[in-house]
Every structure is written in C-alpha cells, then in structure tokens.
Amino acid sequence: MLSMICIAAMATSFGHGDDALSVVENRELNYHRDNLRKLYHDYFVTSGVDLIISPTYNGVAPLGINHGAAGAYYWGYTTLWNILDLPTVVLPTGLALDPKIDIQKTDPPAPRSIIEKIEADKYLPELLVDAPIAVQLTGRRYSDEEVVAVSKVIDDIVNNLS
C-alpha cells in the first residue's frame, strides 16, 4: 500500500506539475489555457451546447485504502472542467452498481499508461456492490446558477422515479 506522502507526491507531479516554471513558461501555459477556454466557449456557442453530462470517473468509485488501494489516481474526467473554469455539479443517477448487470463483455483495451493499469485493476465490482452511480453536469462559464438549477431538476426527477 502506498503511503499518503507517496500519494501526495504522485498527485503533485502528475504531468510534471511539481516542476518549477519560469515567469515566461508560466505565461505561455496561461496563454494555452486561455486559448483552450476560448475554443471550448466558441464550440458551446456555435453548437448551441448549454450543458454536458459526462462521467465523473472511469468506474462508480475508486477503491479506498481499506481495500488495499490508495484512492483515485486518474482525474481526467474532472480536471478538464477545472482548467476550462466551467461550473460542474456531480449528482446521483439513482442507480447503483450491480455486479450481475455491470459486466465487461469484451476484453478491455490494453492500458496506455501505468495510471490506466492501476485504475483498471481497481475495478472490482464485487467490492463495489450498491455503490451509487453518479454523473457530472457541466455548463458554460459563468453559468453556475443555471447548472445548479438544472441539477436540482434532474435530482427531483431521479427521486420521483425511485
């Protein structure tokens, strides 16, 4: 089992996040971030997209330390929205994992990195029985109130179904 210090070190070095940057390098990264934000904003506007519903993780939940794992190593499903500075709400679907239903019917693709291998190896449905299935709802920049309002409507619908 990895120690918490090791996990913290891994988290901060993900993608070389612990490398020191010069002022020029920092400004260049800010430029790329801002350009990415503009591209996404333009896509939202020209395509008429108001909200995106997406997964929050590659499974229902990462196994915790009590199962011999150290939590989530991959956060690609959520960090994109952080970089883009888009409001996001995670909400339950009213569904839960059932190992009899949630089975992999084909061989999974080969992991592309050690992180993917770690995450794929942690998907053990028999240890996650009845874990709630959630999604995330992401809206346009500065539309926080709208995202929360729609998430409440979805939550009301889910609660009325159960």
Side-chain angles (χ1 to χ4, degrees):
M1 179 168 26
L2 295 173
S3 71
M4 293 311 285
I5 293 172
C6 182
I7 294 166
M10 184 176 167
T12 57
S13 67
F14 191 72
H16 304 286
D18 56 350
D19 292 349
L21 297 175
S22 69
V23 171
V24 171
E25 291 168 325
N26 181 271
R27 298 281 184 192
E28 184 176 330
L29 287 175
N30 289 342
Y31 167 79
H32 290 299
R33 178 204 60 205
D34 293 345
N35 188 51
L36 188 61
R37 286 177 179 173
K38 182 182 180 333
L39 289 171
Y40 267 80
H41 173 75
D42 291 349
Y43 177 79
F44 270 61
V45 172
T46 60
S47 301
V49 173
D50 292 316
L51 300 161
I52 295 174
I53 298 175
S54 62
T56 58
Y57 186 63
N58 63 333
V60 293
L63 287 177
I65 293 172
N66 57 338
H67 289 109
Y73 289 104
Y74 182 75
W75 45 84
Y77 291 100
T78 55
T79 55
L80 173 64
W81 312 127
N82 292 331
I83 290 169
L84 297 174
D85 196 23
L86 298 179
T88 301
V89 172
V90 174
L91 58 149
T93 63
L95 302 171
L97 185 133
D98 180 348
K100 294 179 190 122
I101 297 171
D102 302 318
I103 57 173
Q104 187 145 2
K105 295 183 169 106
T106 61
D107 288 335
R112 296 172 295 178
S113 69
I114 187 66
I115 300 296
E116 282 189 2
K117 175 150 180 37
I118 290 169
E119 290 295 340
D121 290 347
K122 287 191 305 183
Y123 183 66
L124 302 169
E126 62 278 3
L127 296 178
L128 298 166
V129 174
D130 294 330
I133 298 171
V135 295
Q136 59 188 350
L137 183 66
T138 303
R140 294 182 185 191
R141 198 163 182 207
Y142 306 120
S143 66
D144 303 55
E145 292 85 2
E146 291 87 345
V147 173
V148 171
V150 172
S151 72
K152 287 180 180 179
V153 170
I154 293 171
D155 189 55
D156 288 344
I157 292 168
V158 167
N159 286 324
N160 288 330
L161 292 176
S162 46

